[in-house]
Short mmCIF file of all heavy atoms in Angstrom, two decimals:
data_model
loop_
_atom_site.label_atom_id
_atom_site.label_comp_id
_atom_site.label_asym_id
_atom_site.label_seq_id
_atom_site.Cartn_x
_atom_site.Cartn_y
_atom_site.Cartn_z
N LEU V 96 38.56 -26.15 93.07
CA LEU V 96 38.25 -25.44 94.31
C LEU V 96 38.64 -23.97 94.25
O LEU V 96 38.14 -23.16 95.04
CB LEU V 96 38.96 -26.11 95.49
CG LEU V 96 38.25 -27.33 96.08
CD1 LEU V 96 39.15 -28.03 97.09
CD2 LEU V 96 36.94 -26.92 96.72
N ALA V 97 39.51 -23.63 93.30
CA ALA V 97 39.94 -22.24 93.18
C ALA V 97 38.80 -21.32 92.78
O ALA V 97 38.83 -20.12 93.03
CB ALA V 97 41.08 -22.15 92.15
N LEU V 98 37.78 -21.91 92.13
CA LEU V 98 36.64 -21.08 91.70
C LEU V 98 35.80 -20.74 92.93
O LEU V 98 35.40 -21.62 93.68
CB LEU V 98 35.79 -21.87 90.69
CG LEU V 98 34.82 -21.04 89.86
CD1 LEU V 98 35.57 -20.24 88.79
CD2 LEU V 98 33.78 -21.94 89.22
N PRO V 99 35.52 -19.46 93.15
CA PRO V 99 34.82 -19.07 94.39
C PRO V 99 33.44 -19.72 94.55
O PRO V 99 33.00 -19.97 95.68
CB PRO V 99 34.67 -17.55 94.25
CG PRO V 99 35.41 -17.13 93.05
CD PRO V 99 35.89 -18.32 92.30
N GLU V 100 32.72 -19.99 93.42
CA GLU V 100 31.38 -20.59 93.54
C GLU V 100 31.43 -22.02 94.03
O GLU V 100 30.43 -22.56 94.50
CB GLU V 100 30.68 -20.61 92.17
CG GLU V 100 30.27 -19.25 91.65
CD GLU V 100 31.30 -18.68 90.69
OE1 GLU V 100 32.52 -18.77 91.00
OE2 GLU V 100 30.90 -18.17 89.64
N VAL V 101 32.58 -22.70 93.90
CA VAL V 101 32.66 -24.11 94.29
C VAL V 101 32.72 -24.23 95.80
O VAL V 101 33.59 -23.65 96.44
CB VAL V 101 33.88 -24.78 93.64
CG1 VAL V 101 34.05 -26.21 94.17
CG2 VAL V 101 33.74 -24.79 92.13
N GLU V 102 31.76 -24.98 96.36
CA GLU V 102 31.72 -25.13 97.80
C GLU V 102 32.50 -26.36 98.24
O GLU V 102 33.22 -26.36 99.21
CB GLU V 102 30.26 -25.25 98.26
CG GLU V 102 30.08 -25.31 99.76
CD GLU V 102 28.62 -25.37 100.13
OE1 GLU V 102 27.97 -26.39 99.81
OE2 GLU V 102 28.10 -24.39 100.71
N ARG V 103 32.28 -27.46 97.43
CA ARG V 103 32.88 -28.73 97.84
C ARG V 103 33.10 -29.61 96.63
O ARG V 103 32.32 -29.58 95.68
CB ARG V 103 31.93 -29.43 98.82
CG ARG V 103 32.45 -30.75 99.27
CD ARG V 103 31.68 -31.33 100.42
NE ARG V 103 32.36 -32.56 100.81
CZ ARG V 103 31.86 -33.47 101.61
NH1 ARG V 103 30.67 -33.28 102.14
NH2 ARG V 103 32.53 -34.56 101.90
N VAL V 104 34.19 -30.39 96.66
CA VAL V 104 34.42 -31.38 95.60
C VAL V 104 34.40 -32.77 96.24
O VAL V 104 34.92 -32.96 97.35
CB VAL V 104 35.75 -31.14 94.85
CG1 VAL V 104 35.68 -29.84 94.08
CG2 VAL V 104 36.92 -31.17 95.80
N ILE V 105 33.77 -33.73 95.52
CA ILE V 105 33.68 -35.11 96.03
C ILE V 105 34.13 -36.06 94.94
O ILE V 105 33.51 -36.12 93.88
CB ILE V 105 32.23 -35.46 96.43
CG1 ILE V 105 31.65 -34.40 97.38
CG2 ILE V 105 32.16 -36.85 97.04
CD1 ILE V 105 30.16 -34.28 97.29
N PRO V 106 35.22 -36.79 95.15
CA PRO V 106 35.64 -37.76 94.13
C PRO V 106 34.76 -39.00 94.17
O PRO V 106 34.40 -39.49 95.25
CB PRO V 106 37.08 -38.10 94.52
CG PRO V 106 37.23 -37.70 95.95
CD PRO V 106 36.14 -36.74 96.30
N LEU V 107 34.41 -39.49 92.99
CA LEU V 107 33.68 -40.76 92.88
C LEU V 107 34.50 -41.69 92.00
O LEU V 107 34.93 -41.31 90.91
CB LEU V 107 32.30 -40.53 92.26
CG LEU V 107 31.47 -41.79 91.99
CD1 LEU V 107 31.06 -42.48 93.29
CD2 LEU V 107 30.22 -41.44 91.16
N HIS V 108 34.73 -42.92 92.51
CA HIS V 108 35.49 -43.92 91.75
C HIS V 108 34.53 -44.95 91.22
O HIS V 108 33.62 -45.40 91.94
CB HIS V 108 36.53 -44.58 92.65
CG HIS V 108 37.36 -43.57 93.40
ND1 HIS V 108 38.48 -42.98 92.87
CD2 HIS V 108 37.19 -43.02 94.64
CE1 HIS V 108 38.98 -42.12 93.74
NE2 HIS V 108 38.21 -42.12 94.83
N VAL V 109 34.70 -45.33 89.97
CA VAL V 109 33.80 -46.29 89.33
C VAL V 109 34.65 -47.35 88.65
O VAL V 109 35.59 -47.03 87.91
CB VAL V 109 32.92 -45.61 88.26
CG1 VAL V 109 31.93 -46.60 87.68
CG2 VAL V 109 32.20 -44.40 88.84
N GLY V 110 34.35 -48.63 88.93
CA GLY V 110 35.13 -49.69 88.28
C GLY V 110 34.34 -50.98 88.22
O GLY V 110 33.40 -51.20 89.00
N ASN V 111 34.69 -51.83 87.27
CA ASN V 111 34.05 -53.13 87.15
C ASN V 111 34.83 -54.13 88.01
O ASN V 111 36.04 -54.26 87.87
CB ASN V 111 34.05 -53.59 85.70
CG ASN V 111 33.17 -52.69 84.85
OD1 ASN V 111 31.95 -52.73 84.96
ND2 ASN V 111 33.80 -51.86 84.03
N ALA V 112 34.11 -54.83 88.92
CA ALA V 112 34.76 -55.79 89.81
C ALA V 112 34.04 -57.12 89.71
O ALA V 112 32.82 -57.16 89.49
CB ALA V 112 34.71 -55.28 91.25
N VAL V 113 34.82 -58.23 89.88
CA VAL V 113 34.23 -59.56 89.75
C VAL V 113 33.69 -60.03 91.10
O VAL V 113 34.40 -60.06 92.09
CB VAL V 113 35.27 -60.56 89.21
CG1 VAL V 113 34.66 -61.97 89.14
CG2 VAL V 113 35.74 -60.12 87.83
N TRP V 114 32.44 -60.38 91.11
CA TRP V 114 31.72 -60.82 92.31
C TRP V 114 31.60 -62.33 92.27
O TRP V 114 31.35 -62.92 91.23
CB TRP V 114 30.34 -60.16 92.32
CG TRP V 114 29.32 -60.74 93.27
CD1 TRP V 114 28.42 -61.71 93.02
CD2 TRP V 114 29.11 -60.35 94.64
NE1 TRP V 114 27.65 -61.96 94.11
CE2 TRP V 114 28.05 -61.13 95.14
CE3 TRP V 114 29.72 -59.40 95.48
CZ2 TRP V 114 27.59 -61.01 96.43
CZ3 TRP V 114 29.24 -59.29 96.77
CH2 TRP V 114 28.18 -60.08 97.25
N ARG V 115 31.83 -62.97 93.44
CA ARG V 115 31.64 -64.42 93.53
C ARG V 115 30.34 -64.69 94.24
O ARG V 115 30.14 -64.27 95.38
CB ARG V 115 32.80 -65.04 94.32
CG ARG V 115 33.42 -66.21 93.62
CD ARG V 115 34.52 -66.76 94.47
NE ARG V 115 33.94 -67.83 95.25
CZ ARG V 115 34.44 -69.06 95.28
NH1 ARG V 115 35.54 -69.31 94.64
NH2 ARG V 115 33.86 -70.00 95.96
N ASN V 116 29.45 -65.43 93.56
CA ASN V 116 28.17 -65.78 94.15
C ASN V 116 28.41 -66.57 95.44
O ASN V 116 29.06 -67.61 95.41
CB ASN V 116 27.38 -66.64 93.14
CG ASN V 116 25.98 -66.99 93.62
OD1 ASN V 116 25.78 -67.24 94.81
ND2 ASN V 116 25.05 -67.02 92.69
N PRO V 117 27.94 -66.07 96.61
CA PRO V 117 28.24 -66.73 97.89
C PRO V 117 27.66 -68.13 97.99
O PRO V 117 28.07 -68.91 98.85
CB PRO V 117 27.61 -65.80 98.93
CG PRO V 117 26.64 -64.95 98.18
CD PRO V 117 27.12 -64.87 96.78
N ILE V 118 26.69 -68.49 97.15
CA ILE V 118 26.08 -69.82 97.20
C ILE V 118 26.82 -70.80 96.29
O ILE V 118 27.29 -71.85 96.73
CB ILE V 118 24.58 -69.77 96.81
CG1 ILE V 118 23.82 -68.82 97.73
CG2 ILE V 118 23.97 -71.17 96.80
CD1 ILE V 118 23.76 -69.27 99.18
N ASP V 119 26.93 -70.48 94.99
CA ASP V 119 27.50 -71.45 94.05
C ASP V 119 28.87 -71.06 93.53
O ASP V 119 29.42 -71.76 92.68
CB ASP V 119 26.53 -71.72 92.90
CG ASP V 119 26.23 -70.47 92.09
OD1 ASP V 119 26.93 -69.45 92.28
OD2 ASP V 119 25.29 -70.50 91.28
N GLY V 120 29.42 -69.95 93.97
CA GLY V 120 30.76 -69.58 93.56
C GLY V 120 30.88 -69.04 92.14
O GLY V 120 31.96 -68.69 91.68
N GLN V 121 29.74 -68.94 91.43
CA GLN V 121 29.73 -68.42 90.05
C GLN V 121 30.22 -66.98 90.04
O GLN V 121 29.89 -66.18 90.91
CB GLN V 121 28.30 -68.50 89.55
CG GLN V 121 28.17 -68.56 88.05
CD GLN V 121 26.71 -68.40 87.64
OE1 GLN V 121 25.80 -68.62 88.43
NE2 GLN V 121 26.51 -68.03 86.42
N LYS V 122 31.05 -66.63 89.00
CA LYS V 122 31.61 -65.28 88.95
C LYS V 122 30.84 -64.39 87.99
O LYS V 122 30.42 -64.84 86.93
CB LYS V 122 33.09 -65.34 88.55
CG LYS V 122 33.91 -65.97 89.67
CD LYS V 122 35.39 -65.86 89.41
CE LYS V 122 36.13 -66.28 90.67
NZ LYS V 122 37.57 -66.39 90.41
N ARG V 123 30.64 -63.13 88.41
CA ARG V 123 29.88 -62.18 87.59
C ARG V 123 30.39 -60.79 87.89
O ARG V 123 30.74 -60.47 89.01
CB ARG V 123 28.40 -62.26 87.96
CG ARG V 123 27.61 -62.94 86.85
CD ARG V 123 26.14 -62.87 87.08
NE ARG V 123 25.45 -62.62 85.84
CZ ARG V 123 25.22 -63.55 84.93
NH1 ARG V 123 25.64 -64.79 85.13
NH2 ARG V 123 24.59 -63.26 83.81
N THR V 124 30.40 -59.94 86.86
CA THR V 124 30.94 -58.60 87.02
C THR V 124 29.85 -57.61 87.43
O THR V 124 28.75 -57.64 86.90
CB THR V 124 31.58 -58.13 85.70
OG1 THR V 124 32.57 -59.08 85.34
CG2 THR V 124 32.22 -56.77 85.85
N LEU V 125 30.18 -56.78 88.42
CA LEU V 125 29.26 -55.70 88.79
C LEU V 125 30.00 -54.37 88.74
O LEU V 125 31.22 -54.32 88.56
CB LEU V 125 28.62 -55.95 90.16
CG LEU V 125 29.50 -56.22 91.38
CD1 LEU V 125 30.35 -55.03 91.75
CD2 LEU V 125 28.62 -56.62 92.56
#
Side-chain angles (χ1 to χ4, degrees):
Chain V
L96 277 171
L98 197 74
E100 290 96 316
V101 174
E102 184 177 67
R103 179 169 184 193
V104 293
I105 308 152
L107 176 66
H108 310 275
V109 184
N111 294 289
V113 177
W114 165 268
R115 230 181 95 126
N116 184 323
I118 302 295
D119 61 11
Q121 204 189 340
K122 291 189 170 172
R123 252 188 140 78
T124 303
L125 54 65

